[in-house]
Amino acid sequence: SPKKQWSLQDFEIGKPLGKGKFGRVYLAREAKSKYIVALKVIFKEQLEKYKIQHQLKREMEIQSGLRHPNILRLYGWFHDSERIFLILEYAHGGELYRELRKRGFLSENKAATYILSLAQALAFCHEKDVIHRDIKPENLLLDHEGRLKIADFGWSVQSRAKRRTMCGTLDYLAPEMVENKAHDYAVDNWTLGILCYEFLYGVPPFEAENQTDTFRRIMNVDLSFPSTPCVSTEAKDLILRLLVKDSSKRLSLQKIMEHPWIVKNADPTSICNK
Ligand SMILES: Cc1cc(Nc2nc(/C=C/c3ccccc3)nc3cc(N4CCN(C)CC4)ccc23)n[nH]1
């Protein structure tokens, strides 16, 4: 069917869900079907100011083409004189990092399930030549069944190092990105190691009170495991095989999916065996 031309009149706008860098996200409902969506509003003047019109366009083309159970769907978009509207899948469970902050740290079962979902989603992206999704906890949502959804499309086109320094956190940057070296798919494997650690301990492994110290800890892979919470040896083994400075030596996505800790702890019903 030809792409429907949407407009604001097609939607009833609900509560604001959050405020991003370039605009707000609202709960919304398509008036005829009553279908619930999230509507992301981006101001054109913001895009002009930061010169990222083409990036947004490319992100939207990539995002709308990626169909995977662990990647938030972009159903379509429309614009008026001063705003662009993205029609996004609504994830009912909210932001994963809020669950992480609320609980302090996650069970090995939940952590393994989320890491497996991320590995599957990233393997899918890499097959489509899309790399380094911005997979920090702030960009992960949960659907009504607690299934993980990667929600951010502020990915890859703009080098993450530039964007991250603007936004503050460096915790998830791989060494080759910190050094602004050419990087490839393996940066995502590093980030999975960071996330696995953060899911299990509640804080990212190289956290420090300032950026210089975080940089140094990343470059030295200055990794240590606190004695509490108690974490299994297999989980630490997976983290140690991902947080490797030489990107060619990091565990591949396939090997992550086959790792004993994942096989033993990931909840098969919460993943998609596609
Ligand atoms: C794009 C999208 C969002 C989304 N769902 C939700 N987003 C955000 C927060 C969103 C946000 C957006 C921009 C910047 C910061 C946060 N918060 C949410 C909070 C939710 N709840 C309901 C569940 N409660 C446990 C916590 C509060 C549910 C869905 C949420 N589905 N699709």
Side-chain angles (χ1 to χ4, degrees):
S1 68
K3 274 256 176 245
K4 169 153 174 54
Q5 287 307 316
W6 294 104
S7 80
L8 204 46
Q9 283 63 38
D10 295 318
F11 297 92
E12 292 150 6
I13 309 297
K15 66 174 182 174
L17 290 168
K19 187 175 175 344
K21 191 167 173 51
F22 298 109
R24 288 175 180 273
V25 177
Y26 296 87
L27 183 62
R29 188 169 66 177
E30 199 279 317
K32 287 194 190 60
S33 63
K34 303 293 174 210
Y35 193 80
I36 298 286
V37 294
L39 209 55
K40 186 168 188 175
V41 183
I42 301 169
F43 287 93
K44 289 181 180 174
E45 56 159 353
Q46 287 286 345
L47 292 182
E48 279 131 33
K49 185 175 158 194
Y50 292 97
K51 306 215 179 329
I52 54 165
Q53 298 88 321
H54 59 283
Q55 285 183 18
L56 176 67
K57 187 171 169 301
R58 199 176 136 193
E59 284 165 17
M60 288 158 60
E61 274 148 17
I62 297 172
Q63 180 76 18
S64 51
L66 288 180
R67 307 277 166 105
H68 186 277
N70 297 114
I71 296 176
L72 202 75
R73 279 293 312 283
L74 170 61
Y75 298 123
W77 54 80
F78 56 93
H79 64 99
D80 63 14
S81 52
E82 69 270 0
R83 294 166 295 182
I84 293 173
F85 300 86
L86 307 185
I87 309 165
L88 292 160
E89 175 183 355
Y90 178 63
H92 295 71
E95 297 166 282
L96 193 155
Y97 94 90
R98 283 195 189 282
E99 185 198 355
L100 185 56
R101 297 289 175 271
K102 190 168 67 181
R103 296 170 193 279
F105 51 87
L106 304 179
S107 67
E108 302 217 9
N109 167 278
K110 264 195 191 290
T113 305
Y114 292 154
I115 294 299
L116 178 55
S117 302
L118 283 163
Q120 290 173 328
L122 288 173
F124 174 82
C125 287
H126 292 180
E127 272 154 39
K128 307 246 176 187
D129 292 329
V130 175
I131 65 168
H132 75 112
R133 314 254 323 128
D134 207 352
I135 47 175
K136 53 183 193 269
E138 289 81 343
N139 296 331
L140 304 176
L141 293 169
L142 297 167
D143 73 3
H144 60 293
E145 290 167 323
R147 181 170 295 142
L148 176 143
K149 299 270 180 180
I150 302 178
D152 184 281
F153 357 127
W155 46 13
S156 77
V157 185
Q158 178 187 11
S159 105
R160 204 153 54 160
K162 245 195 351 268
R163 193 147 73 95
R164 285 283 171 95
T165 40
M166 267 160 31
C167 307
T169 178
L170 307 175
D171 287 305
Y172 306 87
L173 283 191
E176 62 271 26
M177 289 190 72
V178 165
E179 281 184 314
N180 230 338
K181 270 189 198 160
H183 48 271
D184 64 5
Y185 297 93
V187 295
D188 288 333
N189 303 49
W190 170 276
T191 308
L192 283 186
I194 300 287
L195 281 172
C196 191
Y197 185 103
E198 182 165 9
F199 289 158
L200 293 168
Y201 291 101
V203 289
F206 307 120
E207 195 171 53
E209 59 278 356
N210 61 63
Q211 290 200 350
T212 318
D213 292 350
T214 305
F215 267 2
R216 186 177 311 113
R217 293 198 65 196
I218 292 169
M219 295 316 292
N220 300 333
V221 192
D222 168 16
L223 177 67
S224 59
F225 296 109
S227 45
T228 56
C230 174
V231 170
S232 68
T233 313
E234 293 98 338
K236 292 177 191 167
D237 177 79
L238 176 58
I239 293 167
L240 286 164
R241 291 176 192 277
L242 289 171
L243 298 183
V244 174
K245 188 151 185 187
D246 178 344
S247 60
S248 67
K249 297 203 169 41
R250 287 172 203 154
L251 213 55
S252 69
L253 293 173
Q254 196 49 46
K255 287 275 176 261
I256 294 170
M257 295 182 208
E258 296 160 2
H259 189 279
W261 180 69
I262 294 286
V263 172
K264 190 171 134 198
N265 291 281
D267 174 358
T269 57
S270 304
I271 57 173
C272 305
N273 287 314
K274 283 194 184 144

